[in-house]
Every structure is written in structure tokens, then in C-alpha cells.
Amino acid sequence: MPSQEEPPEFSDPNLKKPKKLSPEHLNDAQKAVNVLGLDLVTRAYSKNWAHRGNALVQLRDILESHPESPKSDTRALWRAAIKVVERTLKDNVYQVFNLSVKVLKQLISDFAIKHRVTKGDMIFGVEKSMPILISKTGETINHQMQKLAKEFIVDLAMLPTVKPLALVPQHCVKPFSSTVAAKLGTSRCEIVENLLIALPIRDGSGFTVDNVMKFSREALQHSSGDVRNVAENIITALYKVYSKLSHSLTLPLKRQQRMPLQPGV
């Protein structure tokens, strides 16, 4: 039965039952099926976006009502939930992606605190989610989805359960190729720019002056002026605040070694 709090966009009295899981999908999601049940997981893998949304509604309710349990049970639920969210975060329907983000935040904040999720499982959840979230920041058709992905990555980095791990900024400062799509490149630079405002630079955290500088220098090689503009903003911010902390910032940029700035190119 659908949740009584089911969002209106997922309510459809004429919605037919989802088709059975294919053997491939069943094999992929068997552990989640063992914990969450076949109906929920079948909906999560359905081709019908309303079924996928309903799966998330069910998952949200399960997480909210989960009682104090042995660590093994909580860990099994955590991993099963991450499996479902990992699937639905890839969704191209905004309503489903939006609810996926909300359930992921519920998992990583409220559920993790209440049930004392281990550091290892927190790392597992973040590592599974970040590559998908970063890819969504390059969305060119649904700008709402792109905006939400960018904002949530910064929010995720600031959550008390995630911030000490420094995993989010580590993912964000990985340099990208000069051939990456301009929208994705610009978004990735904007995320790093926002993280510089929200988080302190710390040696040993992965979010260091040298790593941010390396990221920015690579971004300056991109053919898009929009990408290069944000990369220059990042470098300017580093010079203003952290110039005494890293030798890499004492070396002036050689303009002839990067693409000329032509906004919008």
C-alpha cells in the first residue's frame, strides 16, 4: 500500500503493478530485496517513474519508523537503503531525483545519528553517492536538477556526520579533463568556489591549498570561457587568504600557458 503521506505527484489510482524484476536486476539488488522486500525494490527498478517515487516514499517511512536494533540489522538496512538511493539518484525525472536527495539526507543525518552508523558505513554511503551527484551537476536539460545537485553537494559537505570525513571536498577537487562538457566543468568549479567559502582549508584533509590549486590550473586549460572564469575566481580567492601557506601560490600564473579568457566560448 502506498504511504498516506505519498506526494501527490506519485499518486495514481490507475497505476498498474510494476513488472517483475529481470534476473539481472534481481541479482544486482538481491541483498536489498532481502532487507526491504521485493515490492519496494521492484518499484525502485521500474521503468515507470511513479513506481520509483513510490519506492522512495516507502523507504522514507521505513527509515523513520526503524526501531532500536542490533547493529547488524541497522547496517543491513543502511546498505540496502543506499543501494536503492544509488539507483534513484540516477533518475532523469526531477520529482524522483528530488525525493532521492531528501531520502539520502535523511539517511546521512537523522538516521545515521539516531542509529549510530559507523564511520565505515558513512564512508560507504558518501562514496556511492558522490560520483552520481557530481554527474548530475552537468545536467543540460533539467536546470532544476542541476541546481539541486550543486546545492546539495555543498550541504552534504557541511553535515555534522559527513564534515569530519572530508570526503565531499576530496571528490570535488579531483581535476577534470579539458574535454569535459562545459556545463559540468563550470558546475564543478562553482562547487569548489562555494566549498572554499563554507569549509576551511586543512592539511591532511584532501581539501588543501595545493589540491585546490591543481584543480584550478587544470580547469584553466578548458576551452570554455565560463569554466576558466570560475577557475580564476578560485585562484584569486586562494591568493587573498592562503598565499602564505603554499609554495604553489607564490608562483605567478603564466597566461601564455592557458587558454585566453573569452567568456561564453
Side-chain angles (χ1 to χ4, degrees):
M1 291 285 291
S3 165
Q4 291 181 351
E5 298 180 6
E6 180 182 337
E9 60 266 30
F10 300 134
S11 300
D12 183 355
N14 299 316
L15 188 63
K16 296 180 180 179
K17 290 184 178 181
K19 293 183 179 180
K20 292 182 178 181
L21 281 176
S22 68
E24 179 184 0
H25 287 162
L26 182 58
N27 182 64
D28 178 61
Q30 186 61 64
K31 291 183 179 179
V33 170
N34 294 342
V35 176
L36 297 170
L38 183 60
D39 179 71
L40 188 154
V41 177
T42 299
R43 290 177 185 277
Y45 278 73
S46 173
K47 292 182 179 180
N48 187 303
W49 67 272
H51 281 312
R52 300 194 297 273
N54 287 333
L56 289 165
V57 172
Q58 290 179 32
L59 178 58
R60 180 194 63 193
D61 293 347
I62 289 171
L63 295 173
E64 287 177 351
S65 61
H66 184 62
E68 291 291 335
S69 305
K71 283 188 176 182
S72 59
D73 291 348
T74 296
R75 186 171 191 265
L77 175 56
W78 170 269
R79 298 231 164 190
I82 290 294
K83 181 66 178 178
V84 170
V85 173
E86 181 187 6
R87 174 83 181 182
T88 57
L89 278 175
K90 299 174 184 176
D91 214 287
N92 292 322
V93 176
Y94 177 76
Q95 291 93 326
V96 177
F97 177 72
N98 182 39
L99 188 52
S100 299
V101 166
K102 290 179 179 178
V103 173
L104 179 59
K105 186 172 183 179
Q106 176 189 8
L107 263 170
I108 288 179
S109 54
D110 298 342
F111 184 90
I113 292 171
K114 179 180 178 181
H115 297 284
R116 300 180 182 87
V117 172
T118 67
K119 179 180 178 181
D121 283 332
M122 287 296 302
I123 291 172
F124 174 83
V126 174
E127 292 284 2
K128 288 290 186 181
S129 307
M130 277 302 298
I132 307 170
L133 289 168
I134 288 175
S135 71
K136 286 294 185 180
T137 68
E139 176 67 43
T140 57
I141 298 176
N142 193 318
H143 297 296
Q144 275 185 298
M145 190 178 293
Q146 183 217 19
K147 182 174 182 289
L148 175 59
K150 286 198 298 183
E151 291 174 349
F152 181 65
I153 287 172
V154 178
D155 289 344
L156 184 62
M158 297 297 293
L159 291 177
T161 52
V162 177
K163 187 176 180 180
L165 303 176
L167 286 174
V168 173
Q170 285 179 39
H171 275 274
C172 293
V173 297
K174 290 179 180 178
F176 55 83
S177 166
S178 60
T179 61
V180 77
K183 179 68 73 174
L184 178 58
T186 303
S187 291
R188 290 200 54 189
C189 288
E190 288 172 345
I191 290 168
V192 171
E193 185 179 27
N194 289 331
L195 287 175
L196 278 176
I197 297 171
L199 294 172
I201 290 279
R202 288 191 298 113
D203 288 339
S205 68
F207 194 51
T208 65
V209 171
D210 290 339
N211 285 349
V212 175
M213 193 63 179
K214 182 179 179 181
F215 170 89
S216 303
R217 282 176 165 166
E218 290 294 324
L220 285 174
Q221 304 304 314
H222 202 278
S223 60
S224 168
D226 291 338
V227 176
R228 300 194 303 272
N229 278 336
V230 187
E232 281 211 335
N233 291 343
I234 294 170
I235 292 171
T236 299
L238 286 174
Y239 268 102
K240 286 181 179 179
V241 182
Y242 300 104
S243 60
K244 295 181 181 180
L245 299 184
S246 173
H247 176 66
S248 67
L249 290 178
T250 66
L251 302 177
L253 287 174
K254 295 181 179 179
R255 296 185 67 89
Q256 66 270 24
Q257 291 182 351
R258 61 175 174 80
M259 300 291 291
L261 280 175
Q262 297 176 12
V265 175

